[in-house]
Structures are given as C-alpha cells and as structure tokens.
Amino acid sequence: MVYDVAADPTVGGKLMVTRGTGRRVREALAGLLEGLPSGGVLYVDTRGVELMDYSFADEALGILASRVASGEYGERRVVLVEEDRELLENVEASLRQRGLAMVRVEEPGGEPEVVGDVPGHLVETLREIQAAGSISNADLAARLGLNHTAMNNRATRLFKLGLIQRHKNTAAPGGRQYSYEGVS
Amino acid sequence: MSGVLTLGSLDPAFEAAGRVDGEMVVLDLKSVEFVEPAGLCGLAALLEFVIPRSSLVGVRLSGHDVPAYLERMDFFRIFGHRVETNVDVAALEERRRGNPGTLQELIRFHSEEEIPGIINRISEILENKDYRLRERAAICATLSEICANAVEHGHSPFGAYAAVQAYQHVVSGGRTRGERAGEEVIIAIADGGVGVRETLSRNPKYAEHTQTDNDALRHALKMGVSGTGEVGRGGGLAVVAQISARASGSLSLRSGSGRVTSYGDRTNSRNVPPFPGAFVRVSLPRKPASSSAGQPVGKSRKADG
C-alpha cells in the first residue's frame, strides 16, 4: 500500500511542519499499518512534499520507525519513498538521534537504500539480502564469510530495526533455520 | 540609541524597564533611522515587559521612514491602542504602500497550531518572489522550528513575536560597500517565557551545562539537547544552526544574560544585560542563482583596477 503524504487532503500537504502535524500524519500511518496483513509493507511517499522540518520528521517518521522497531506493528514494515534530496536530511537526523533506520526507495519497487543510523557491516548484510530476494541464514553466512551465530546476530538486528522480513524454516536440514528477505 | 534598532540597542531600555514601578515611561526612539526584524521583535518584547509595570508608555519617533515602516510591519495595529505615541498613525495608514521586502509583518502567536498557517503564507510570498525551493525550505524550516520552540518552552504571558524581512543588501556585519553587496533574509523571534537556562535545567543531566546563561545557550545548539531529555527531541535548533551555516549566515540566541552567535565554524558568546524570555535571530544571506564559484574572480578584478 502506498500513502502519498502531499496528496492527503485531511492531514497531509506540501509544507509539513510542527510536531502536531507530524503526530496527525503518524496516526494516519499507524491506522493504515494496522490494516495491513502480517508481513505487509506500507510505502510512505513524501516526494510531493516541498518542506519537512525536523520536528515533523521526528514526530511522523522517527517515532513511527521506533514503534515498528519495538514490534508494535508485528511484522508489518514501513518503506520511505523519496529521492536523494535535502528534505531527507531531517529524516536522517531524526533516525540517527534514535539509533534507527528506514528502507528508502526512489519509487515503489525501486532499488532499496537505507536512511538513518546503520553501521556499515549491517548495510552490507542488508544489501546481500535485498540482492538475493530470499536467502537462508547458512547461505548468507557463506556469502559474507561469517559463522552462523554471527550471521544470525546481524540479521536479528536488521529484523528488529524493521529493515528485513524473517521466516523460520522448520524443515531445514539440521533443524530450525531462519531465512530472510528484503521489505521493499 | 544608535541609528539602527537592533535587540542590542534596546539593552539600556531593558535594564531601565526592570526598575519601573507604576510610573509613566517614555521610550525615546527619535534617533532610530533603521529598524530590522530583531529590533522590531525586541521592541515588542520590551513593551510587553514594561506596559504591565507602567501607568502609561509613550513611544517617541521622528522622521517619516521609521514610523511608516513600523506601520507597514503592523506595529501600530498591535500596539497602537496600548501605547501613547507622537506619530499620526491614521495618516500613515492612508498613505500605506506595499513593502516589497516584507516576508512577515510583526505577528503575535500563542500556540503550535498557528505555525502551519504562518509557514503556508510566507512560503506563498517567497514563491511569488521567485525564491528557489531550497531557499524557501531553508527560510520556512528555520521559522517553523524557532516558532515551535518559542511556544513550546515559552509559557510566555504574551506568547511570541516574529518578523521576517528580505533586504537587497547584506545587513548583518557588512560595513564596506563590498561587504554589503548581495541579499539577506533576517528572521527574528522573541518570547517572554522562562528562558533557555531554566528550560534545560529541568533535565538534571545538564547540571554542568547550565551554570551560566551562556553555557546553557551553547549547549542548546547541540543536537538532541532538550529540557525533557526525550529521545528525538532537541533537534530543531541544531538544524537551524546548520541551515544558517550552510547559507554562510548566522544564528544568534539570547536569553537571560547570555548571548551566543553561531557562524557554523565558530561560536561567540558574551554577557549582556538580562533579556526576559528567549530571543532568536537568524541571518540567511542569499546567493545568486548562477553561482560565480570557479570563475577567476581575481583576474577579472585586476582588469577593473
């Protein structure tokens, strides 16, 4: 599902300023997220927005990302649809303050990038997962030259940040094993 | 009083205002020849401070330009009925002309809900004046963040005052003709709240950063520093400092007896007479649309000489 912030006639618009405005947009986003099935992705399209101040970015997207990461929306995920432009700086600043990150695409279905606070080794892991489409922990560990536990730890961090999906494969050889896929 | 009405030029008046106890007060601004938004917001804050302490406040102005400018900036609409003045305001209203550089007249606001309306209006004005999107975003984001700060931390009896003016020359610091070449947008806001030091003091984590007003002001410019200490808070002022630095402008904060000015790469602070509440002034110089970066400036100048 795609939510176009600028086109929403009730809480959206082109000039998105203040925490109050951000809270109303976040509430609208939360309502849409809750209506998605588990594993569903909500694309938040801000490309029509001309201005987003830090207060709005933190209240609408920073707090939403923290709630996704805390598991409040189960395995539903949020992806930001935005081009690489100055407007992103406030989103980036808010997510960095919170030690969080979001997946960003230039258009729905586009190449995924990361906005926010993610260490380089996690970005590398995320890219591998996104490139593979779907990949098991063992295969991913082999590609990145890591042992299974270290691989599992990295992927768990990405999962908890809300940047990937994770599935348990009970029929995997050698018992339980996770497999991962990107969210965009 | 010098010829330019800035916040600093009102210092002696603020100092004297603290001693007013019911008597009549006359504010002599006859030597003022030029008023910038910081002086206008400072004057509004001063009047809000002194009017309740005085039986009558008189404002004395001279010439035509300054009274006409104050009228165009809505000063008399807000204060005309609250002060006694030697200016014939009705005559000024009749002769009123548009002021091409005014981006926001003196406006009083009390709550965050009023800010989106203020931003929508100034954005439209900037668009009509062919400001580029990134310039509009810089001016609007600066105004929205400092307006939000003023009403969020203010608990101010009069709310907050804001004014924004665009100039066809550089106002801040420029003394020689060369330094004054270019354009500049000045944004100013004043509130009458508890001030920055007291707001930050609510967070025990900042005890060592709130020893003086200047300590508190310097700390307030850092990312993530807020009175509540909630994660994600305290980013607005840091972002405004980045915006002004990127435009080669400046951000001045004044609260209590502190005054801090950030230029991006350096921050100056000095002790000043107490200001009741908090005051912010942001200078955003405008760069020409086609940047001259990379052109052999030195050589072309040589040909001139």
Side-chain angles (χ1 to χ4, degrees), chain B residues 49-89:
Chain B
F49 184 73
V50 79
I51 288 170
R53 290 168 174 76
S54 166
S55 57
L56 181 66
V57 176
V59 176
R60 299 286 173 267
L61 299 159
S62 67
H64 176 265
D65 292 354
V66 168
Y69 179 73
L70 290 179
E71 202 282 320
R72 289 199 302 271
M73 290 300 274
D74 287 345
F75 174 82
F76 293 110
R77 192 178 59 77
I78 296 172
F79 286 104
H81 60 290
R82 300 173 67 194
V83 300
E84 181 271 329
T85 178
N86 62 331
V87 171
D88 182 356
V89 179

Side-chain angles (χ1 to χ4, degrees), chain A residues 121-122 125 129 135-142 144-161 164-169 176-180:
Chain A
H121 65 275
L122 287 188
T125 306
I129 294 168
I135 189 166
S136 70
N137 192 68
D139 290 347
L140 190 60
L144 292 169
L146 292 170
N147 67 49
H148 287 204
T149 309
M151 191 67 261
N152 192 52
N153 289 344
R154 276 196 193 184
T156 299
R157 283 189 66 192
L158 288 172
F159 175 70
K160 288 194 169 165
L161 281 166
I164 60 168
Q165 301 288 19
R166 184 171 76 172
H167 307 286
K168 206 178 272 180
N169 303 334
R176 270 186 326 161
Q177 186 177 215
Y178 284 118
S179 69
Y180 314 112

Side-chain angles (χ1 to χ4, degrees), chain A residues 20 50 53-55 86 89, chain B residues 112 134 136 144-145 232 246:
Chain A
E50 291 184 345
D53 70 0
Y54 174 86
S55 295
E86 271 180 29
E89 288 175 5
Chain B
E112 197 203 50
R134 58 190 304 178
R136 268 198 292 142
S144 69
E145 293 290 5
R246 193 179 298 158

Side-chain angles (χ1 to χ4, degrees), chain A residues 54 93-94 97, chain B residues 219-225 233-236 238-239 242:
Chain A
Y54 174 86
S94 158
Q97 277 295 298
Chain B
H219 206 56
L221 286 170
K222 293 178 188 154
M223 194 73 194
V225 170
R233 291 264 166 174
V239 166
Q242 286 166 14

Side-chain angles (χ1 to χ4, degrees), chain A:
Chain A
M1 161 171 267
V2 180
Y3 173 82
D4 185 335
V5 177
D8 182 332
T10 50
V11 297
K14 287 183 176 181
L15 303 173
M16 298 279 89
V17 296
T18 75
R19 287 193 175 268
T21 309
R23 194 169 51 246
R24 286 187 286 279
V25 168
R26 171 163 48 77
E27 284 161 1
L29 294 173
L32 294 173
L33 257 181
E34 280 157 5
L36 291 178
S38 181
V41 177
L42 176 62
Y43 290 89
V44 181
D45 188 345
T46 55
R47 288 174 297 176
V49 174
E50 291 184 345
L51 160 70
M52 193 192 284
D53 70 0
Y54 174 86
S55 295
F56 174 88
D58 185 61
E59 195 72 34
L61 299 172
I63 294 179
L64 185 71
S66 82
R67 294 192 176 166
V68 167
S70 72
E72 202 168 302
Y73 303 106
E75 300 204 351
R76 302 175 189 99
R77 298 287 179 255
V78 175
V79 171
L80 184 67
V81 186
E82 183 52 84
E83 284 146 20
D84 189 7
R85 59 177 174 136
E86 271 180 29
L87 179 135
L88 268 182
E89 288 175 5
N90 285 329
V91 183
E92 176 93 26
S94 158
L95 293 170
R96 284 189 176 276
Q97 277 295 298
R98 294 175 172 276
L100 295 170
M102 288 176 89
V103 172
R104 172 181 74 87
V105 293
E106 302 229 334
E107 55 194 314
E111 193 68 24
E113 301 279 342
V114 178
V115 53
D117 190 18
V118 185
H121 65 275
L122 287 188
V123 174
E124 181 196 11
T125 306
L126 181 63
R127 293 249 157 85
E128 282 293 342
I129 294 168
Q130 284 164 338
S134 176
I135 189 166
S136 70
N137 192 68
D139 290 347
L140 190 60
R143 283 198 194 179
L144 292 169
L146 292 170
N147 67 49
H148 287 204
T149 309
M151 191 67 261
N152 192 52
N153 289 344
R154 276 196 193 184
T156 299
R157 283 189 66 192
L158 288 172
F159 175 70
K160 288 194 169 165
L161 281 166
L163 299 176
I164 60 168
Q165 301 288 19
R166 184 171 76 172
H167 307 286
K168 206 178 272 180
N169 303 334
T170 44
R176 270 186 326 161
Q177 186 177 215
Y178 284 118
S179 69
Y180 314 112
E181 50 187 273
V183 294
S184 63

